[in-house]
Amino acid sequence: MVSSDEIRADLFGTSPAEANTDAADALIFSERDRRIAARLAGGQTAVAESTNVTPQARTRLISIARRFDAPVTMLRFAPDLGTLLEQHAGRNRADITTADVHAFAADMARHAGAGQLRSEGAHAVHDVPGRRQGATPAEAAARFSFT
């Protein structure tokens, strides 16, 4: 699993002012892409744990997978706006506003349908159950295997 949030913490620790800039994001996602490419080059599975709401964000990951002829499986999380706002409040990210969360939710609704994801290059698309479906994160994770 390659997590952009974990890379942010690795690179910037508890310096939120440094970690929440466009330059920091560029460094974080460059490192994420490097780690994913290294795993795929070694014949391993790579799971990118990052939001990737827009087609532009997903293009980078799909391009890396294509370089290594690796299939792309996308997991769709469709939390309601209330859940997204609750998660945002718990992350303590000053660089993302409540208005940004509303915009992300609208983008997800517009750009993350299963057909859209397949047209971008996903071989498989799975919906991940969440709180609305009565599943805890551990129960949802238990439904998937990436080995």
Side-chain angles (χ1 to χ4, degrees):
M1 170 102 59
V2 179
S3 166
S4 56
D5 286 342
E6 286 180 14
I7 293 169
R8 184 179 304 277
D10 289 348
L11 295 177
F12 298 100
T14 57
S15 302
E18 279 184 61
N20 296 325
T21 66
D22 289 342
D25 282 349
L27 181 61
I28 291 160
F29 288 102
S30 176
E31 176 61 16
R32 179 203 64 182
D33 295 352
R34 186 198 66 72
R35 291 180 187 187
I36 289 169
R39 289 189 60 78
L40 294 175
Q44 298 174 302
T45 298
V47 176
E49 191 276 311
S50 51
T51 307
N52 303 309
V53 171
T54 65
Q56 297 84 357
R58 295 185 292 265
T59 297
R60 290 171 65 158
L61 294 170
I62 293 167
S63 294
I64 294 168
R66 284 185 177 146
R67 269 193 305 182
F68 297 97
D69 199 29
V72 174
T73 298
M74 292 194 188
L75 303 179
R76 288 183 345 130
F77 296 83
D80 61 278
L81 182 58
T83 300
L84 292 172
L85 292 168
E86 183 181 316
Q87 289 171 336
H88 167 65
R91 284 190 170 160
N92 197 24
R93 295 265 315 264
D95 63 319
I96 298 175
T97 67
T98 301
D100 292 332
V101 174
H102 283 268
F104 290 147
D107 282 344
M108 280 193 317
R110 268 194 311 279
H111 300 294
Q116 167 84 29
L117 299 175
R118 284 189 194 91
S119 74
E120 292 174 17
H123 295 85
V125 177
H126 301 287
D127 289 329
V128 178
R131 292 180 187 151
R132 285 192 302 179
Q133 295 80 27
T136 67
E139 291 166 339
R143 296 179 186 207
F144 300 96
S145 173
F146 299 100
T147 57

